[in-house]
Amino acid sequence: MRAPRPRGRGDHGSTVVELAVVLPLMILLLMMVIEAGIYFHTRAVVVTAARHGLDGARAENGSTADGTASTNQFLDQAAGGLRTRSVQVTRTATDATVTVSGDVVSVLPLVPFAVDVTVTAPVERFLP
């Protein structure tokens, strides 16, 4: 003979409570993974844009205007994940430097991410 089942509330409804606790955490984790992907993709685009600008600025007949134009052109085409941006190009007799910085688009509220990339290379020059 079986023992009588105790009367009481038992576990009824516990699944709904567990889901209500776990689901927001899972959504937050998913958003953090998406945010990381957006950040690293945008950083790769900014590094490539800075290198394009550096190629224009360090050429033998290049200038800071050429570097800025090349960087901005690349960013206009590929940097959809960059909200604001700043491009600074300097050129001396021996080196050229391009710095690109900006704010990355965020899917998480109140969590700002910024990217700041600086690349430097020697200037091409002809020495007889």
Side-chain angles (χ1 to χ4, degrees), residues 2 15 29 53 72 74 88 90 96 103 106 108 111 120 125-126:
R2 288 196 266 173
T15 304
L29 180 65
N72 282 323
F74 190 88
Q88 297 173 345
T90 58
D103 296 324
S106 179
L108 297 173
V111 183
T120 302
R125 53 192 170 146
F126 177 72

Side-chain angles (χ1 to χ4, degrees), residues 14-25:
S14 65
T15 304
V16 174
V17 173
E18 290 172 4
L19 183 66
V21 170
V22 172
L23 189 61
L25 294 175

Side-chain angles (χ1 to χ4, degrees), residues 40-117:
F40 287 113
H41 171 72
T42 303
R43 181 166 168 67
V45 168
V46 168
V47 167
T48 304
R51 291 190 185 277
H52 275 271
L54 186 64
D55 289 342
R58 70 183 287 250
E60 186 175 358
N61 295 322
S63 66
T64 58
D66 294 335
T68 303
S70 296
T71 303
N72 282 323
Q73 180 182 7
F74 190 88
L75 289 174
D76 288 341
Q77 294 174 358
L82 198 60
R83 242 185 343 189
T84 60
R85 68 179 183 219
S86 170
V87 177
Q88 297 173 345
V89 180
T90 58
R91 179 186 162 114
T92 64
T94 57
D95 292 323
T97 302
V98 177
T99 300
V100 180
S101 59
D103 296 324
V104 179
V105 172
S106 179
V107 295
L108 297 173
L110 304 173
V111 183
F113 288 101
V115 65
D116 187 19
V117 174

